[in-house]
């Protein structure tokens, strides 16, 4: 449902000053001693470890979704509808029925969890700065003149409202993805971060395919990993590319501690600066993960690349400039138990840009306001 924002409402001040971008209900699944009130916290930049801090103080910004309260109210309603679905995953080992209303709600929540994060809005600002600093290398007309103003508009309350409440339009295009639960059979706990939905793509990583981001929603080989408590991770994946355990199994046991570490390291690399956990994670374990993560590049960092190339046309050889605006991928050479490539995936050819998209996904199935974009312009 797209909200109708009226100017009168924009002048109202929300009573909710502390606005969480990782819902409190979700953080409670990782609470200290299952008390539902506090959670462990590690600040990556400062190295500060706290075994128990109030959940209310984690993953929030003052008036992040605006002062009118409209978007905050809409998000609260979405969370209320989604909470029972995710609680059932770790409490009952129950997943939604494929293509049911609960399946749609699950995917919708995951999309919003990704899109509502401050990293997404910070990226807009960083891209605008990079465009300004790279203007001397970009041919006139290659970057739309309204792009930077559009980025700024999307960071406003009205822009956030429009982007987030229209994200439901993407949900039907993601229903081809299958999903299972990974069950942790080790003594090491799953952790989360201040940006907990992991977008990965082992398929494109193995192919060294660097044409745009590897985590666009319509790409072949897309994977999403979302911890739902210290013992379970929801995995959403492209079943044309990956075989996850046995076909009929909805729960996949993982008993290799190195695999648990790999998934936890993704949380660190995907974070802004904070990781959270319950009482099962020691300071030594978290620091060890952080140290191991330093071998890899952080995700979600803005970049712009200018590629001058030559392209043959029917009449002559034309000079083309390709400008790539995007963000860094998560790439750790991920290799975890019971996630294998299908035989079919080995024969897929990636010959052009369109070849990277799933068969039933539209080419526009991308992150609505942070997606890497390609602009073609003859020189």
């Amino acid at each position: 449902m797209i909200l109708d924002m009226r100017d009168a409402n924009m002048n109202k001040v929300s009573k909710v000053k502390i606005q969480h971008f990782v819902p409190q209900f979700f953080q409670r699944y990782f609470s200290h001693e299952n008390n539902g009130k506090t959670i462990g916290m590690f600040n990556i930049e400062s190295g500060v470890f706290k075994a128990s801090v109030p959940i209310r103080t984690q993953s929030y910004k003052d008036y992040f979704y605006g002062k009118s309260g409209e978007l905050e109210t809409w998000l609260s309603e979405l969370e209320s509808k989604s909470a029972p679905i995710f609680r059932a995953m770790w409490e009952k080992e129950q997943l939604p029925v494929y293509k049911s209303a609960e399946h749609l709600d699950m995917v919708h929540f995951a999309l919003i969890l990704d899109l509502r994060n401050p990293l997404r809005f910070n990226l807009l600002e960083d891209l605008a700065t990079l465009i300004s600093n790279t203007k001397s290398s970009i041919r006139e007309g290659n970057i739309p003149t309204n792009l930077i103003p559009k980025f700024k508009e999307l960071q406003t309350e009205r822009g956030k409202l429009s982007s987030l409440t229209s994200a439901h339009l993407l949900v039907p295009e993601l229903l081809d993805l299958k999903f299972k639960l990974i069950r942790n059979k080790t003594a090491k706990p799953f952790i989360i971060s201040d940006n907990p939905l992991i977008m990965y793509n082992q398929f494109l990583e193995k192919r060294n395919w660097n044409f745009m981001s590897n985590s666009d929603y319509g790409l072949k080989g897309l994977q999403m990993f979302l911890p739902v408590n210290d013992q379970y991770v929801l995995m959403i994946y492209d079943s044309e590319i990956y075989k996850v355990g046995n076909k009929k199994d909805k729960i996949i046991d993982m008993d290799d501690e190195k695999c648990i570490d790999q998934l936890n390291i993704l949380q660190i690399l995907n974070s802004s600066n904070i990781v959270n956990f319950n009482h099962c994670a020691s300071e030594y374990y978290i620091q060890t993960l952080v140290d191991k993560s330093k071998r890899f590049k952080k995700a979600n960092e803005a970049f712009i690349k200018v590629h001058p190339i030559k392209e043959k046309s029917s009449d002559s050889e034309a000079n083309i400039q390709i400008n790539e605006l995007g963000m860094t991928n998560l790439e750790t050479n991920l290799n975890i138990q019971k996630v294998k490539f299908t035989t079919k995936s080995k024969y897929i050819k990636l010959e052009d840009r369109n070849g990277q998209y799933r068969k039933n996904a539209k080419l526009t199935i991308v992150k609505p306001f942070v997606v890497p974009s390609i602009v073609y312009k003859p020189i």
Side-chain angles (χ1 to χ4, degrees), residues 26-79:
F26 212 85
Q27 294 186 60
R28 291 188 188 105
Y29 299 163
F30 296 83
S31 64
H32 185 77
E33 299 289 352
N34 303 313
N35 64 17
K37 297 178 180 179
T38 63
I39 194 170
M41 182 278 297
F42 185 83
N43 185 304
I44 297 170
E45 184 177 344
S46 67
V48 172
F49 175 95
K50 293 185 178 181
S52 182
V53 296
I55 286 174
R56 188 171 184 269
T57 66
Q58 298 299 293
S59 297
Y60 84 92
K61 287 182 179 291
D62 289 348
Y63 296 121
F64 180 61
Y65 300 114
K67 294 185 176 182
S68 75
E70 296 229 14
L71 184 51
E72 177 70 5
T73 298
W74 182 84
L75 288 168
S76 296
E77 292 171 354
L78 174 68
E79 292 166 15

Short mmCIF file of all heavy atoms in Angstrom, two decimals, residues 26-79:
data_model
loop_
_atom_site.label_atom_id
_atom_site.label_comp_id
_atom_site.label_asym_id
_atom_site.label_seq_id
_atom_site.Cartn_x
_atom_site.Cartn_y
_atom_site.Cartn_z
N PHE A 26 13.20 -8.02 16.27
CA PHE A 26 14.21 -8.90 15.67
C PHE A 26 15.44 -8.99 16.56
O PHE A 26 16.03 -10.07 16.72
CB PHE A 26 14.58 -8.37 14.28
CG PHE A 26 14.94 -9.45 13.32
CD1 PHE A 26 13.97 -10.11 12.59
CD2 PHE A 26 16.26 -9.84 13.15
CE1 PHE A 26 14.29 -11.13 11.71
CE2 PHE A 26 16.60 -10.86 12.27
CZ PHE A 26 15.61 -11.50 11.54
N GLN A 27 15.82 -7.87 17.15
CA GLN A 27 16.98 -7.89 18.04
C GLN A 27 16.71 -8.76 19.27
O GLN A 27 17.63 -9.38 19.82
CB GLN A 27 17.32 -6.46 18.48
CG GLN A 27 17.81 -5.56 17.35
CD GLN A 27 18.28 -4.22 17.87
OE1 GLN A 27 19.20 -4.14 18.67
NE2 GLN A 27 17.62 -3.15 17.43
N ARG A 28 15.46 -8.81 19.70
CA ARG A 28 15.13 -9.62 20.90
C ARG A 28 15.40 -11.11 20.68
O ARG A 28 15.59 -11.84 21.65
CB ARG A 28 13.66 -9.40 21.28
CG ARG A 28 13.39 -7.99 21.81
CD ARG A 28 11.97 -7.86 22.36
NE ARG A 28 11.68 -6.46 22.67
CZ ARG A 28 10.90 -5.68 21.93
NH1 ARG A 28 10.29 -6.17 20.85
NH2 ARG A 28 10.71 -4.42 22.26
N TYR A 29 15.40 -11.55 19.45
CA TYR A 29 15.72 -12.95 19.17
C TYR A 29 17.17 -13.28 19.52
O TYR A 29 17.54 -14.45 19.61
CB TYR A 29 15.48 -13.26 17.69
CG TYR A 29 14.05 -13.08 17.22
CD1 TYR A 29 13.76 -12.98 15.86
CD2 TYR A 29 12.99 -13.01 18.11
CE1 TYR A 29 12.46 -12.82 15.40
CE2 TYR A 29 11.69 -12.85 17.66
CZ TYR A 29 11.43 -12.75 16.31
OH TYR A 29 10.14 -12.59 15.86
N PHE A 30 17.98 -12.24 19.72
CA PHE A 30 19.40 -12.42 20.06
C PHE A 30 19.69 -11.85 21.46
O PHE A 30 20.83 -11.53 21.78
CB PHE A 30 20.28 -11.71 19.03
CG PHE A 30 20.17 -12.27 17.65
CD1 PHE A 30 19.14 -11.89 16.80
CD2 PHE A 30 21.09 -13.21 17.17
CE1 PHE A 30 19.02 -12.40 15.52
CE2 PHE A 30 20.98 -13.74 15.90
CZ PHE A 30 19.95 -13.34 15.07
N SER A 31 18.69 -11.73 22.28
CA SER A 31 18.86 -11.05 23.56
C SER A 31 19.71 -11.85 24.54
O SER A 31 19.79 -13.09 24.48
CB SER A 31 17.50 -10.73 24.19
OG SER A 31 16.78 -11.91 24.49
N HIS A 32 20.33 -11.14 25.46
CA HIS A 32 21.20 -11.74 26.47
C HIS A 32 20.39 -12.61 27.42
O HIS A 32 19.41 -12.15 28.02
CB HIS A 32 21.92 -10.62 27.24
CG HIS A 32 22.92 -11.11 28.23
ND1 HIS A 32 24.16 -11.57 27.86
CD2 HIS A 32 22.86 -11.23 29.58
CE1 HIS A 32 24.83 -11.94 28.94
NE2 HIS A 32 24.06 -11.74 30.00
N GLU A 33 20.78 -13.86 27.53
CA GLU A 33 20.07 -14.82 28.39
C GLU A 33 18.58 -14.86 28.07
O GLU A 33 17.75 -15.15 28.94
CB GLU A 33 20.27 -14.46 29.88
CG GLU A 33 21.71 -14.49 30.35
CD GLU A 33 22.29 -15.89 30.45
OE1 GLU A 33 21.51 -16.87 30.29
OE2 GLU A 33 23.50 -16.02 30.67
N ASN A 34 18.24 -14.55 26.82
CA ASN A 34 16.85 -14.58 26.35
C ASN A 34 15.93 -13.70 27.20
O ASN A 34 14.74 -14.00 27.36
CB ASN A 34 16.31 -16.02 26.36
CG ASN A 34 17.17 -16.94 25.50
OD1 ASN A 34 17.50 -16.61 24.38
ND2 ASN A 34 17.53 -18.09 26.05
N ASN A 35 16.48 -12.58 27.70
CA ASN A 35 15.68 -11.71 28.56
C ASN A 35 14.78 -10.74 27.80
O ASN A 35 13.92 -10.08 28.38
CB ASN A 35 16.57 -10.94 29.54
CG ASN A 35 17.52 -9.98 28.84
OD1 ASN A 35 17.35 -9.62 27.68
ND2 ASN A 35 18.55 -9.56 29.56
N GLY A 36 14.99 -10.64 26.47
CA GLY A 36 14.15 -9.79 25.64
C GLY A 36 14.38 -8.30 25.83
O GLY A 36 13.68 -7.48 25.22
N LYS A 37 15.39 -7.93 26.64
CA LYS A 37 15.62 -6.52 26.96
C LYS A 37 17.00 -6.03 26.57
O LYS A 37 17.17 -4.86 26.21
CB LYS A 37 15.39 -6.27 28.45
CG LYS A 37 13.97 -6.55 28.92
CD LYS A 37 13.84 -6.33 30.41
CE LYS A 37 12.41 -6.61 30.88
NZ LYS A 37 12.28 -6.41 32.36
N THR A 38 18.00 -6.89 26.67
CA THR A 38 19.38 -6.46 26.40
C THR A 38 20.03 -7.39 25.38
O THR A 38 19.57 -8.50 25.14
CB THR A 38 20.23 -6.45 27.69
OG1 THR A 38 20.31 -7.78 28.21
CG2 THR A 38 19.61 -5.52 28.73
N ILE A 39 21.14 -6.90 24.82
CA ILE A 39 21.83 -7.63 23.76
C ILE A 39 23.32 -7.31 23.82
O ILE A 39 23.71 -6.24 24.32
CB ILE A 39 21.25 -7.23 22.37
CG1 ILE A 39 21.68 -8.19 21.27
CG2 ILE A 39 21.61 -5.80 22.02
CD1 ILE A 39 20.93 -7.99 19.95
N GLY A 40 24.16 -8.23 23.36
CA GLY A 40 25.59 -7.97 23.30
C GLY A 40 25.93 -7.04 22.15
O GLY A 40 25.23 -7.01 21.13
N MET A 41 27.03 -6.27 22.32
CA MET A 41 27.39 -5.27 21.32
C MET A 41 28.91 -5.18 21.19
O MET A 41 29.62 -5.19 22.19
CB MET A 41 26.82 -3.91 21.70
CG MET A 41 27.08 -2.78 20.71
SD MET A 41 28.73 -1.98 20.85
CE MET A 41 28.65 -1.28 22.48
N PHE A 42 29.38 -5.11 19.94
CA PHE A 42 30.80 -4.86 19.68
C PHE A 42 30.92 -3.74 18.66
O PHE A 42 30.34 -3.81 17.58
CB PHE A 42 31.50 -6.11 19.16
CG PHE A 42 32.99 -5.95 18.99
CD1 PHE A 42 33.84 -6.10 20.07
CD2 PHE A 42 33.53 -5.63 17.76
CE1 PHE A 42 35.22 -5.94 19.92
CE2 PHE A 42 34.91 -5.48 17.59
CZ PHE A 42 35.75 -5.63 18.68
N ASN A 43 31.68 -2.69 19.03
CA ASN A 43 31.95 -1.57 18.13
C ASN A 43 33.23 -1.88 17.38
O ASN A 43 34.32 -1.92 17.98
CB ASN A 43 32.06 -0.27 18.93
CG ASN A 43 32.22 0.95 18.04
OD1 ASN A 43 33.13 1.02 17.22
ND2 ASN A 43 31.34 1.92 18.21
N ILE A 44 33.13 -2.11 16.08
CA ILE A 44 34.28 -2.54 15.28
C ILE A 44 35.37 -1.47 15.24
O ILE A 44 36.56 -1.77 15.35
CB ILE A 44 33.82 -2.90 13.86
CG1 ILE A 44 32.85 -4.09 13.91
CG2 ILE A 44 35.02 -3.25 12.97
CD1 ILE A 44 32.16 -4.37 12.60
N GLU A 45 34.97 -0.23 15.11
CA GLU A 45 35.95 0.85 14.99
C GLU A 45 36.71 1.08 16.29
O GLU A 45 37.94 1.20 16.29
CB GLU A 45 35.25 2.14 14.58
CG GLU A 45 36.20 3.31 14.34
CD GLU A 45 35.48 4.55 13.85
OE1 GLU A 45 34.32 4.44 13.41
OE2 GLU A 45 36.09 5.63 13.91
N SER A 46 36.01 1.11 17.40
CA SER A 46 36.66 1.40 18.69
C SER A 46 37.17 0.16 19.41
O SER A 46 38.00 0.25 20.32
CB SER A 46 35.70 2.15 19.61
OG SER A 46 34.60 1.31 19.98
N GLY A 47 36.62 -1.02 19.03
CA GLY A 47 37.00 -2.26 19.71
C GLY A 47 36.32 -2.47 21.04
O GLY A 47 36.71 -3.35 21.81
N VAL A 48 35.28 -1.68 21.32
CA VAL A 48 34.58 -1.80 22.60
C VAL A 48 33.61 -2.98 22.56
O VAL A 48 32.78 -3.09 21.64
CB VAL A 48 33.81 -0.50 22.92
CG1 VAL A 48 32.91 -0.70 24.14
CG2 VAL A 48 34.80 0.64 23.17
N PHE A 49 33.71 -3.85 23.55
CA PHE A 49 32.82 -5.01 23.70
C PHE A 49 31.98 -4.82 24.95
O PHE A 49 32.49 -4.50 26.02
CB PHE A 49 33.65 -6.29 23.83
CG PHE A 49 32.83 -7.53 24.10
CD1 PHE A 49 32.43 -8.36 23.07
CD2 PHE A 49 32.47 -7.87 25.41
CE1 PHE A 49 31.69 -9.51 23.31
CE2 PHE A 49 31.72 -9.02 25.66
CZ PHE A 49 31.33 -9.84 24.61
N LYS A 50 30.67 -5.02 24.81
CA LYS A 50 29.77 -5.00 25.96
C LYS A 50 28.86 -6.20 25.88
O LYS A 50 28.18 -6.41 24.88
CB LYS A 50 28.96 -3.71 26.00
CG LYS A 50 29.82 -2.46 26.25
CD LYS A 50 28.96 -1.21 26.41
CE LYS A 50 29.85 0.00 26.71
NZ LYS A 50 29.05 1.24 26.90
N ALA A 51 28.87 -6.99 26.92
CA ALA A 51 28.10 -8.24 26.92
C ALA A 51 26.60 -8.01 26.95
O ALA A 51 25.83 -8.85 26.48
CB ALA A 51 28.52 -9.11 28.11
N SER A 52 26.18 -6.84 27.46
CA SER A 52 24.74 -6.60 27.60
C SER A 52 24.46 -5.10 27.63
O SER A 52 24.94 -4.39 28.52
CB SER A 52 24.23 -7.24 28.90
OG SER A 52 22.85 -7.07 29.06
N VAL A 53 23.73 -4.64 26.62
CA VAL A 53 23.30 -3.24 26.56
C VAL A 53 21.81 -3.24 26.21
O VAL A 53 21.29 -4.19 25.63
CB VAL A 53 24.09 -2.45 25.48
CG1 VAL A 53 25.56 -2.38 25.84
CG2 VAL A 53 23.89 -3.04 24.09
N PRO A 54 21.08 -2.17 26.55
CA PRO A 54 19.64 -2.14 26.23
C PRO A 54 19.39 -2.21 24.72
O PRO A 54 20.05 -1.51 23.95
CB PRO A 54 19.19 -0.78 26.79
CG PRO A 54 20.19 -0.46 27.85
CD PRO A 54 21.50 -1.01 27.35
N ILE A 55 18.49 -3.05 24.30
CA ILE A 55 18.13 -3.17 22.89
C ILE A 55 17.65 -1.84 22.33
O ILE A 55 17.92 -1.51 21.17
CB ILE A 55 17.07 -4.28 22.71
CG1 ILE A 55 17.73 -5.66 22.88
CG2 ILE A 55 16.37 -4.17 21.36
CD1 ILE A 55 16.76 -6.81 22.87
N ARG A 56 17.01 -1.07 23.17
CA ARG A 56 16.48 0.23 22.72
C ARG A 56 17.58 1.15 22.21
O ARG A 56 17.33 2.05 21.42
CB ARG A 56 15.72 0.88 23.88
CG ARG A 56 14.94 2.14 23.49
CD ARG A 56 14.06 2.57 24.64
NE ARG A 56 13.23 3.74 24.28
CZ ARG A 56 13.61 5.01 24.46
NH1 ARG A 56 14.79 5.27 25.00
NH2 ARG A 56 12.82 6.00 24.11
N THR A 57 18.82 0.91 22.66
CA THR A 57 19.92 1.80 22.28
C THR A 57 20.68 1.32 21.04
O THR A 57 21.69 1.92 20.66
CB THR A 57 20.94 1.91 23.43
OG1 THR A 57 21.58 0.63 23.65
CG2 THR A 57 20.25 2.35 24.72
N GLN A 58 20.21 0.27 20.41
CA GLN A 58 20.94 -0.31 19.28
C GLN A 58 20.20 -0.10 17.96
O GLN A 58 18.97 -0.17 17.89
CB GLN A 58 21.14 -1.82 19.50
CG GLN A 58 21.97 -2.15 20.74
CD GLN A 58 23.37 -1.57 20.65
OE1 GLN A 58 24.18 -1.97 19.82
NE2 GLN A 58 23.65 -0.62 21.53
N SER A 59 20.99 0.14 16.90
CA SER A 59 20.48 0.23 15.52
C SER A 59 19.30 1.20 15.40
O SER A 59 18.23 0.85 14.92
CB SER A 59 20.06 -1.15 15.01
OG SER A 59 21.16 -2.02 14.95
N TYR A 60 19.54 2.44 15.83
CA TYR A 60 18.50 3.46 15.70
C TYR A 60 19.14 4.81 15.39
O TYR A 60 20.34 5.02 15.58
CB TYR A 60 17.68 3.58 16.98
CG TYR A 60 18.32 4.47 18.04
CD1 TYR A 60 18.01 5.84 18.10
CD2 TYR A 60 19.25 3.97 18.95
CE1 TYR A 60 18.61 6.67 19.04
CE2 TYR A 60 19.85 4.79 19.88
CZ TYR A 60 19.52 6.14 19.93
OH TYR A 60 20.13 6.96 20.85
N LYS A 61 18.33 5.74 14.91
CA LYS A 61 18.70 7.13 14.74
C LYS A 61 17.49 7.99 15.14
O LYS A 61 16.35 7.59 14.91
CB LYS A 61 19.11 7.45 13.30
CG LYS A 61 20.47 6.88 12.89
CD LYS A 61 20.81 7.28 11.46
CE LYS A 61 22.17 6.75 11.04
NZ LYS A 61 23.27 7.44 11.76
N ASP A 62 17.77 9.14 15.71
CA ASP A 62 16.68 10.05 16.07
C ASP A 62 15.96 10.54 14.81
O ASP A 62 16.61 11.05 13.89
CB ASP A 62 17.21 11.25 16.85
CG ASP A 62 17.67 10.88 18.26
OD1 ASP A 62 17.35 9.76 18.70
OD2 ASP A 62 18.34 11.71 18.90
N TYR A 63 14.66 10.35 14.78
CA TYR A 63 13.82 10.81 13.68
C TYR A 63 14.38 10.41 12.31
O TYR A 63 14.28 11.16 11.34
CB TYR A 63 13.65 12.33 13.73
CG TYR A 63 12.91 12.80 14.95
CD1 TYR A 63 13.52 13.70 15.84
CD2 TYR A 63 11.61 12.37 15.23
CE1 TYR A 63 12.85 14.14 16.99
CE2 TYR A 63 10.94 12.81 16.36
CZ TYR A 63 11.56 13.69 17.23
OH TYR A 63 10.88 14.11 18.36
N PHE A 64 14.95 9.20 12.23
CA PHE A 64 15.55 8.76 10.97
C PHE A 64 14.53 8.69 9.84
O PHE A 64 14.85 8.93 8.68
CB PHE A 64 16.23 7.40 11.16
CG PHE A 64 16.89 6.86 9.93
CD1 PHE A 64 17.91 7.56 9.32
CD2 PHE A 64 16.49 5.65 9.39
CE1 PHE A 64 18.53 7.07 8.18
CE2 PHE A 64 17.10 5.15 8.24
CZ PHE A 64 18.13 5.86 7.64
N TYR A 65 13.29 8.32 10.16
CA TYR A 65 12.24 8.21 9.15
C TYR A 65 11.34 9.45 9.13
O TYR A 65 10.26 9.42 8.55
CB TYR A 65 11.42 6.95 9.38
CG TYR A 65 12.24 5.69 9.32
CD1 TYR A 65 12.42 4.90 10.45
CD2 TYR A 65 12.89 5.31 8.14
CE1 TYR A 65 13.21 3.75 10.40
CE2 TYR A 65 13.68 4.17 8.10
CZ TYR A 65 13.84 3.40 9.23
OH TYR A 65 14.62 2.27 9.18
N GLY A 66 11.79 10.52 9.77
CA GLY A 66 11.05 11.77 9.72
C GLY A 66 10.28 12.05 11.00
O GLY A 66 10.14 11.20 11.88
N LYS A 67 9.77 13.26 11.08
CA LYS A 67 9.05 13.71 12.27
C LYS A 67 7.53 13.63 12.14
O LYS A 67 6.81 13.86 13.10
CB LYS A 67 9.48 15.14 12.62
CG LYS A 67 10.94 15.23 13.05
CD LYS A 67 11.30 16.63 13.50
CE LYS A 67 12.74 16.68 14.02
NZ LYS A 67 13.12 18.02 14.51
N SER A 68 7.03 13.34 10.95
CA SER A 68 5.58 13.25 10.78
C SER A 68 5.02 11.99 11.42
O SER A 68 3.86 11.92 11.79
CB SER A 68 5.21 13.27 9.29
OG SER A 68 5.50 12.02 8.69
N GLY A 69 5.86 10.95 11.53
CA GLY A 69 5.42 9.69 12.12
C GLY A 69 4.76 8.75 11.14
O GLY A 69 4.47 7.59 11.48
N GLU A 70 4.52 9.18 9.90
CA GLU A 70 3.79 8.35 8.92
C GLU A 70 4.59 7.10 8.53
O GLU A 70 4.05 5.99 8.53
CB GLU A 70 3.45 9.18 7.69
CG GLU A 70 2.50 10.32 7.98
CD GLU A 70 1.35 10.36 7.01
OE1 GLU A 70 1.13 9.37 6.28
OE2 GLU A 70 0.66 11.38 6.98
N LEU A 71 5.86 7.30 8.21
CA LEU A 71 6.66 6.15 7.78
C LEU A 71 6.96 5.24 8.97
O LEU A 71 6.92 4.01 8.84
CB LEU A 71 7.96 6.63 7.13
CG LEU A 71 8.88 5.53 6.55
CD1 LEU A 71 8.09 4.60 5.63
CD2 LEU A 71 10.05 6.16 5.80
N GLU A 72 7.20 5.81 10.13
CA GLU A 72 7.44 5.02 11.32
C GLU A 72 6.22 4.16 11.65
O GLU A 72 6.35 2.99 12.01
CB GLU A 72 7.79 5.94 12.49
CG GLU A 72 8.00 5.22 13.82
CD GLU A 72 9.26 4.40 13.89
OE1 GLU A 72 10.06 4.43 12.92
OE2 GLU A 72 9.45 3.70 14.90
N THR A 73 5.04 4.72 11.49
CA THR A 73 3.81 3.96 11.73
C THR A 73 3.66 2.83 10.73
O THR A 73 3.30 1.69 11.09
CB THR A 73 2.59 4.90 11.65
OG1 THR A 73 2.70 5.89 12.67
CG2 THR A 73 1.29 4.12 11.83
N TRP A 74 3.94 3.12 9.46
CA TRP A 74 3.85 2.10 8.42
C TRP A 74 4.82 0.96 8.68
O TRP A 74 4.47 -0.22 8.55
CB TRP A 74 4.14 2.75 7.06
CG TRP A 74 4.03 1.80 5.90
CD1 TRP A 74 2.91 1.43 5.24
CD2 TRP A 74 5.11 1.09 5.27
NE1 TRP A 74 3.21 0.55 4.23
CE2 TRP A 74 4.56 0.32 4.23
CE3 TRP A 74 6.48 1.05 5.49
CZ2 TRP A 74 5.34 -0.49 3.41
CZ3 TRP A 74 7.26 0.23 4.68
CH2 TRP A 74 6.70 -0.52 3.65
N LEU A 75 6.04 1.29 9.09
CA LEU A 75 7.04 0.27 9.38
C LEU A 75 6.61 -0.58 10.59
O LEU A 75 6.81 -1.80 10.59
CB LEU A 75 8.40 0.92 9.65
CG LEU A 75 9.11 1.49 8.42
CD1 LEU A 75 10.29 2.36 8.84
CD2 LEU A 75 9.58 0.39 7.48
N SER A 76 6.02 0.06 11.58
CA SER A 76 5.56 -0.67 12.77
C SER A 76 4.48 -1.69 12.40
O SER A 76 4.46 -2.81 12.93
CB SER A 76 5.02 0.30 13.81
OG SER A 76 6.04 1.15 14.29
N GLU A 77 3.60 -1.31 11.50
CA GLU A 77 2.55 -2.23 11.05
C GLU A 77 3.14 -3.41 10.29
O GLU A 77 2.72 -4.56 10.46
CB GLU A 77 1.54 -1.48 10.18
CG GLU A 77 0.71 -0.45 10.96
CD GLU A 77 -0.13 0.43 10.06
OE1 GLU A 77 0.00 0.32 8.82
OE2 GLU A 77 -0.93 1.23 10.59
N LEU A 78 4.15 -3.13 9.45
CA LEU A 78 4.83 -4.20 8.72
C LEU A 78 5.52 -5.16 9.68
O LEU A 78 5.45 -6.38 9.52
CB LEU A 78 5.85 -3.59 7.76
CG LEU A 78 6.76 -4.58 7.02
CD1 LEU A 78 5.95 -5.41 6.02
CD2 LEU A 78 7.88 -3.83 6.28
N GLU A 79 6.16 -4.62 10.70
CA GLU A 79 6.86 -5.44 11.68
C GLU A 79 5.89 -6.32 12.47
O GLU A 79 6.18 -7.49 12.74
CB GLU A 79 7.66 -4.55 12.63
CG GLU A 79 8.83 -3.85 11.96
CD GLU A 79 9.41 -2.71 12.78
OE1 GLU A 79 9.09 -2.66 14.00
OE2 GLU A 79 10.16 -1.88 12.24
#
